[in-house]
Amino acid sequence: MNAFISRLLSILIFACLGSVLLWHYFTHRDPALSHPNGVNQKPARSNGVAASGPLSVQQKPAKRNQVIDRLIASYSTSWKKHEKNFQFYRSLLGNKCNAISAAVVTQRNSPTGTNITFDADKKKILEVTPALYNLFPKETPFIKAPLDTCAVVGNGGILTNSSCGKQIDSASYVIRCNLPPLKNRHEKDAGSKSNIVTANPSILMQKYSSLNERRRSFVEDVRLYGNALILLPAFSYRQNTAVSLRALYALEDFGYNGPQAVFFNPAYLSNLKEFWHTQGIRAMRLSTGIMMVSLALELCNNVHLYGFWPFSVHPYTYQQITNHYYDNQPVNHRVHAMPAEFEALLNLHNKGVIHLHIGECTN
Ligand SMILES: *[C@@H]1O[C@H](CO)[C@@H](O)[C@H](O)[C@H]1NC(C)=O
Ligand SMILES: *[C@@H]1O[C@H](CO)[C@@H](O)[C@H](O)[C@H]1NC(C)=O
């Protein structure tokens, strides 16, 4: 009997301890770590409800955070390009991924009769029919590579009040993510020039009724990006294809000299994922931001990054910042490894490979 009671007691004690520990874990996680920002490549299957989350910025005063302090302490402020390291990473990426000929689906790399294997949905294969083939550009759009200076603009809240717009627009080639708002109050911080803009099908679904209804507002909004390439992950998830094709039809049917829709090559994205896996990033899916940095590393001789900072606290002012410079939509952490990506980019910055701008732009 005594033995039974003591066993019962020890079970109770362990159960109590366990729940205290669990409670502690869930209530004491650092808010700065649980609200990373950054550019967001949600799979099309996540619906609008899941993506809308808590919209208010946490009002608690931001506290100093060990992770942020460690990262900022290692961030080299006197950046200088290290040509050897730059060439090393460019050739590593070039050998594995070859963005110039393979990042975008073209008639040359995807002839009629070949199969396209979806990168986020390996069981899905699509044969290139003559009709599909005719939607692809003949050649790579990156025929002019290497370009001189590229700015890759992440959408992080760190851009708010950064005054980086002029510096971003001074780059010869500007790459943006997920159809970000640019005009009016954003121009000073984010600039307006755009040569590539990615478009996540989830935004087409939410904002433009999947382009199943009127398409004029989509076409007019996209005019904001001038003659930029609109880059769509049409062959990542199977739900992405039809809506991406409709985006291309809409831009072509309205028949003006504006943005051109092209599709990410899923073979390129698969190789990119493997590349970053060897660099320690084990996410279900890479963020659009790191995809664009990788592209820029192959296309451009000088790569500058703005708007990349995946935490909800500003590293210098300790003010709370929003997830994006234009809204506070949360990032999907089941899918992306934002802090790990950021550390990889910080490492490349410290090696003189890319120039990661954090905080205000002074010139
Ligand atoms: C394309 O995929 C289909 C179906 O899986 C297969 O039968 C065909 O042989 C493949 N074609 C090529 C060129 O690989
Ligand atoms: C940006 O600047 C405005 C105006 O000075 C200020 O009210 C706001 O708090 C600032 N926001 C951030 C995140 O720094």
Side-chain angles (χ1 to χ4, degrees), residues 296-344:
L297 261 169
E298 286 198 59
L299 297 186
C300 321
N301 289 335
N302 298 285
V303 180
H304 294 261
L305 270 52
Y306 302 86
F308 283 79
W309 175 255
F311 306 104
S312 63
V313 176
H314 194 288
Y316 299 125
T317 66
Y318 288 98
Q319 260 184 299
Q320 285 283 348
I321 51 180
T322 48
N323 286 325
H324 296 137
Y325 70 84
Y326 46 85
D327 70 23
N328 201 22
Q329 291 248 333
V331 170
N332 190 337
H333 286 285
R334 283 182 302 113
V335 177
H336 297 311
M338 304 304 285
E341 285 190 2
F342 181 78
E343 285 218 54

Side-chain angles (χ1 to χ4, degrees), residues 81 86-87 90 100 142-150 172-173 295-302:
K81 187 182 179 193
F86 176 81
Q87 291 302 341
R90 170 179 277 179
I100 293 175
F142 307 124
I143 207 96
K144 288 193 187 130
L147 304 154
D148 178 29
T149 300
C150 297
S172 42
Y173 205 76
L295 180 69
L297 261 169
E298 286 198 59
L299 297 186
C300 321
N301 289 335
N302 298 285

